[in-house]
Amino acid sequence: VEISSAEAFQAAYGATDPAYPLTQAVADFFAVGGETALIVRLDGAATTPANFAAALNALDEAFFNILVLSPDQIEGDAPLFAREAAANYVVQRTAMLILDPLVAWATAQDAAQNTGDLGNFPIEAAGRIACYFPRATMQIGQEFPSRPVSGGVAGLWARTDREKGVWIAPAGVDAVLPYGGAIDRKNT
């Protein structure tokens, strides 16, 4: 389903809910300037190889240049098989894949030393995958669970592509994510 605003997403799928990472990712995408998102929801309560393959097949006729995987749980990871299938798919589609850092990565050193834990990716995918560390945190009651940042990063990429061109890196003083200082800096 093509969605052009956070409000349109909420009308179609419900309000942003901290328990559902996709709702957070879409809200973040639009908050930083993303304009159009293609939403493919999986059948069932969890990601399986079959429903993930069906989701990728649903994208076959669509034009897109950035793929984001949303984990099933806010403090979870997208399954390994999904990360590997998505890496192969973006090579096929000449697109980019944004992955969230693994929950197990507590420090920047963990992330740097364990990038292989993201998956066994084909060499052709090396320049098509980005993983941003650290995760963000958000307050829910008295707790501050970590959460994925890929939706905000995708929105930043999309905005930069639109405003400056696809060959300009989305960095610098304009690269502000919607977490308002809630990046989990204690772990970097």
Side-chain angles (χ1 to χ4, degrees), residues 112-128:
Q113 292 177 345
N114 297 296
T115 57
D117 293 349
L118 284 170
N120 185 16
F121 304 128
I123 193 70
E124 303 84 23
R128 299 199 168 280

Side-chain angles (χ1 to χ4, degrees), residues 20 30 35 37 56 67 73 76-77 86-87 99 101 109 119 127-128 140 143 161 165 167 169 179 181:
Y20 299 100
F30 288 113
E35 285 190 334
L56 292 180
L67 180 62
Q73 300 172 348
D77 298 318
L99 295 175
Q109 185 175 1
R128 299 199 168 280
I140 301 176
E143 311 244 338
D161 288 355
W167 301 111
Y179 312 114

Side-chain angles (χ1 to χ4, degrees), residues 58 64-66 96 137:
F64 71 95
N65 60 354
I66 303 169
M96 296 294 295
T137 58

Side-chain angles (χ1 to χ4, degrees), residues 20-88:
Y20 299 100
L22 177 62
T23 68
Q24 293 286 326
V26 172
D28 293 348
F29 175 81
F30 288 113
V32 296
E35 285 190 334
T36 304
L38 296 173
I39 308 298
V40 179
R41 294 184 69 185
L42 304 179
D43 291 332
T47 306
T48 65
N51 68 16
F52 191 72
L56 292 180
N57 289 339
L59 290 172
D60 281 346
E61 302 303 317
F63 172 78
F64 71 95
N65 60 354
I66 303 169
L67 180 62
V68 172
L69 300 183
S70 179
D72 294 332
Q73 300 172 348
I74 199 71
E75 290 196 66
D77 298 318
L80 176 63
F81 69 82
R83 296 189 306 261
E84 291 176 344
N88 286 308

